[in-house]
Coordinates of all heavy atoms in Angstrom, one line a residue:
A295 N 147.1 108.0 -53.9 CA 148.0 107.1 -53.3 C 148.2 105.9 -54.4 O 147.2 105.3 -54.9 CB 147.7 106.5 -52.0
I296 N 149.3 105.2 -54.4 CA 149.6 104.0 -55.3 C 149.6 102.8 -54.4 O 149.7 101.7 -55.0 CB 150.8 104.3 -56.3 CG1 152.1 104.5 -55.4 CG2 150.5 105.4 -57.2 CD1 153.2 104.5 -56.3
N297 N 149.5 103.0 -53.1 CA 149.7 101.7 -52.3 C 148.5 101.6 -51.3 O 148.6 101.0 -50.3 CB 151.0 101.8 -51.5 CG 151.0 103.0 -50.6 OD1 150.4 104.0 -50.9 ND2 151.7 102.8 -49.4
T298 N 147.3 102.0 -51.8 CA 146.1 101.7 -51.0 C 145.7 100.4 -50.9 O 145.6 99.7 -51.9 CB 144.9 102.5 -51.7 OG1 145.2 103.9 -51.8 CG2 143.7 102.4 -50.8
P299 N 145.5 99.9 -49.7 CA 145.2 98.4 -49.6 C 143.7 98.2 -50.0 O 142.8 99.1 -49.8 CB 145.3 98.1 -48.1 CG 145.2 99.4 -47.4 CD 145.7 100.5 -48.3
S300 N 143.5 96.9 -50.5 CA 142.1 96.7 -51.0 C 141.3 95.9 -50.0 O 140.1 96.1 -49.8 CB 142.2 95.8 -52.2 OG 143.0 96.4 -53.3
Y301 N 141.9 95.0 -49.3 CA 141.0 94.0 -48.4 C 141.8 93.6 -47.1 O 141.1 93.4 -46.1 CB 140.5 92.9 -49.1 CG 141.6 91.9 -49.7 CD1 142.1 90.9 -49.0 CD2 142.1 92.2 -51.0 CE1 143.1 90.0 -49.5 CE2 143.0 91.3 -51.5 CZ 143.4 90.3 -50.8 OH 144.5 89.4 -51.3
G302 N 143.0 93.4 -47.1 CA 143.7 92.9 -45.9 C 144.6 91.7 -46.2 O 145.3 91.6 -47.1
V303 N 144.3 90.6 -45.4 CA 145.1 89.3 -45.6 C 144.1 88.1 -45.3 O 143.3 88.2 -44.4 CB 146.2 89.3 -44.6 CG1 146.9 87.9 -44.5 CG2 147.3 90.3 -44.8
K304 N 144.3 87.2 -46.2 CA 143.4 85.9 -46.1 C 144.2 84.8 -46.2 O 144.9 84.7 -47.2 CB 142.3 86.0 -47.2 CG 141.3 84.9 -47.0 CD 140.1 85.1 -48.0 CE 139.1 83.9 -47.7 NZ 138.0 83.9 -48.7
I305 N 144.2 84.0 -45.3 CA 145.0 82.7 -45.2 C 144.2 81.6 -45.1 O 143.2 81.6 -44.1 CB 145.9 82.8 -44.0 CG1 147.1 83.8 -44.2 CG2 146.7 81.5 -43.8 CD1 148.0 84.1 -43.1
G306 N 144.3 80.5 -45.9 CA 143.4 79.4 -45.9 C 143.7 78.4 -44.8 O 144.5 78.6 -43.9
D307 N 143.0 77.2 -45.0 CA 143.1 76.1 -44.0 C 144.3 75.3 -44.0 O 145.1 75.3 -45.1 CB 142.0 75.0 -44.1 CG 140.6 75.6 -44.0 OD1 140.5 76.8 -43.2 OD2 139.6 75.0 -44.5
H308 N 144.8 74.8 -42.9 CA 146.0 73.9 -42.8 C 147.2 74.6 -43.3 O 147.7 74.1 -44.4 CB 145.6 72.5 -43.5 CG 146.6 71.5 -43.2 ND1 147.3 70.8 -44.2 CD2 147.0 71.0 -42.1 CE1 148.1 69.9 -43.6 NE2 148.0 70.1 -42.3
F309 N 147.7 75.4 -42.5 CA 148.8 76.3 -42.9 C 149.8 76.3 -41.9 O 149.6 76.3 -40.7 CB 148.2 77.7 -42.9 CG 148.7 78.6 -44.0 CD1 148.1 78.6 -45.4 CD2 149.9 79.2 -44.0 CE1 148.5 79.4 -46.4 CE2 150.4 80.1 -45.0 CZ 149.8 80.1 -46.2
W310 N 151.1 76.3 -42.4 CA 152.3 76.2 -41.4 C 153.2 77.4 -42.0 O 153.6 77.5 -43.1 CB 153.0 74.8 -41.7 CG 154.3 74.8 -41.0 CD1 154.7 75.6 -39.8 CD2 155.3 73.8 -41.1 NE1 156.0 75.1 -39.4 CE2 156.4 74.1 -40.2 CE3 155.5 72.7 -42.1 CZ2 157.5 73.3 -40.1 CZ3 156.6 72.0 -42.1 CH2 157.6 72.2 -41.1
I311 N 153.4 78.2 -40.9 CA 154.2 79.5 -41.2 C 155.5 79.4 -40.2 O 155.3 79.2 -39.0 CB 153.5 80.6 -41.0 CG1 152.3 80.8 -41.9 CG2 154.4 82.0 -41.1 CD1 151.5 82.1 -41.7
G312 N 156.7 79.4 -40.9 CA 157.9 79.4 -40.2 C 158.3 80.7 -39.5 O 157.7 81.7 -39.6
N313 N 159.4 80.6 -38.8 CA 159.9 81.7 -37.9 C 160.3 82.9 -38.8 O 160.8 82.9 -39.9 CB 161.3 81.2 -37.2 CG 161.8 82.3 -36.5 OD1 161.5 82.8 -35.5 ND2 163.0 82.8 -36.9
G314 N 159.8 84.1 -38.2 CA 160.3 85.4 -38.7 C 159.7 85.8 -40.1 O 160.1 86.7 -40.7
V315 N 158.5 85.2 -40.4 CA 157.8 85.6 -41.6 C 157.0 86.9 -41.5 O 156.4 87.2 -40.4 CB 156.8 84.4 -42.0 CG1 155.8 84.9 -43.1 CG2 157.6 83.1 -42.4
N316 N 157.0 87.7 -42.6 CA 156.4 88.9 -42.6 C 155.3 88.8 -43.7 O 155.7 88.4 -44.9 CB 157.2 90.1 -42.8 CG 157.8 90.5 -41.5 OD1 157.3 91.3 -40.7 ND2 159.0 90.2 -41.4
I317 N 154.0 89.1 -43.5 CA 152.9 89.0 -44.5 C 152.3 90.4 -44.6 O 151.9 91.0 -43.6 CB 151.9 88.0 -44.1 CG1 152.5 86.5 -44.0 CG2 150.7 88.0 -45.2 CD1 151.5 85.5 -43.6
L318 N 152.4 91.1 -45.8 CA 152.0 92.3 -46.1 C 150.6 92.3 -46.6 O 149.9 91.4 -46.9 CB 152.9 93.0 -47.0 CG 154.4 93.0 -46.5 CD1 155.4 93.8 -47.4 CD2 154.6 93.5 -45.0
K319 N 150.2 93.5 -46.9 CA 148.7 93.8 -47.3 C 148.4 93.1 -48.6 O 149.2 92.8 -49.5 CB 148.5 95.4 -47.5 CG 149.2 95.9 -48.8 CD 148.9 97.4 -48.8 CE 149.4 97.9 -50.3 NZ 150.7 97.8 -50.6
D320 N 147.0 92.7 -48.7 CA 146.4 92.3 -49.9 C 147.0 91.0 -50.4 O 147.3 90.6 -51.4 CB 146.4 93.3 -50.9 CG 145.6 94.5 -50.8 OD1 144.8 94.4 -49.8 OD2 145.7 95.5 -51.4
V321 N 147.2 90.1 -49.3 CA 147.9 88.7 -49.6 C 146.8 87.7 -49.4 O 146.0 87.8 -48.4 CB 149.0 88.3 -48.8 CG1 149.2 86.8 -48.7 CG2 150.2 89.2 -49.1
T322 N 146.5 86.8 -50.4 CA 145.5 85.7 -50.2 C 146.3 84.4 -50.4 O 147.0 84.4 -51.5 CB 144.3 85.8 -51.2 OG1 143.6 86.8 -50.9 CG2 143.5 84.4 -51.1
I323 N 146.3 83.6 -49.5 CA 147.0 82.3 -49.6 C 146.1 81.2 -49.5 O 145.4 81.0 -48.4 CB 148.3 82.1 -48.6 CG1 149.2 83.4 -48.7 CG2 149.0 80.9 -48.9 CD1 150.2 83.4 -47.7
E324 N 146.0 80.3 -50.4 CA 145.0 79.1 -50.3 C 145.5 78.1 -49.4 O 146.5 78.2 -48.7 CB 144.8 78.5 -51.6 CG 144.1 79.7 -52.7 CD 143.9 79.2 -54.0 OE1 144.1 78.1 -54.4 OE2 143.4 80.0 -54.8
H325 N 144.7 77.0 -49.2 CA 144.9 75.9 -48.3 C 146.2 75.1 -48.4 O 146.7 75.0 -49.4 CB 143.6 75.1 -48.0 CG 143.4 74.4 -49.6 ND1 143.9 73.3 -49.9 CD2 142.5 74.8 -50.5 CE1 143.4 72.9 -51.0 NE2 142.5 73.8 -51.4
D326 N 146.6 74.4 -47.4 CA 147.6 73.4 -47.4 C 149.0 74.0 -47.9 O 149.6 73.3 -48.8 CB 147.2 72.3 -48.2 CG 146.0 71.5 -47.7 OD1 146.0 71.1 -46.4 OD2 145.0 71.5 -48.4
C327 N 149.4 75.1 -47.3 CA 150.7 75.7 -47.8 C 151.7 75.8 -46.6 O 151.3 75.7 -45.5 CB 150.5 77.1 -48.3 SG 149.7 77.0 -50.0
V328 N 152.9 75.9 -47.0 CA 153.9 76.2 -46.1 C 154.7 77.5 -46.5 O 155.0 77.7 -47.7 CB 154.9 75.0 -46.0 CG1 156.1 75.3 -45.1 CG2 154.3 73.8 -45.6

């Protein structure tokens, strides 16, 4: 497979996510983001 996930999803502190957002595999987002 060429799309095997590695770890999942990691989201940092103080985060604001708007309407209708999709977050897919192997995403890391650091703190204080929108």
Side-chain angles (χ1 to χ4, degrees):
I296 62 174
N297 63 328
T298 302
S300 298
Y301 58 89
V303 172
K304 185 174 182 179
I305 293 173
D307 295 340
H308 193 234
F309 217 92
W310 175 17
I311 299 183
N313 175 68
V315 168
N316 280 275
I317 300 175
L318 305 185
K319 70 178 192 302
D320 295 341
V321 166
T322 295
I323 310 176
E324 298 179 0
H325 59 86
D326 298 302
C327 286
V328 175

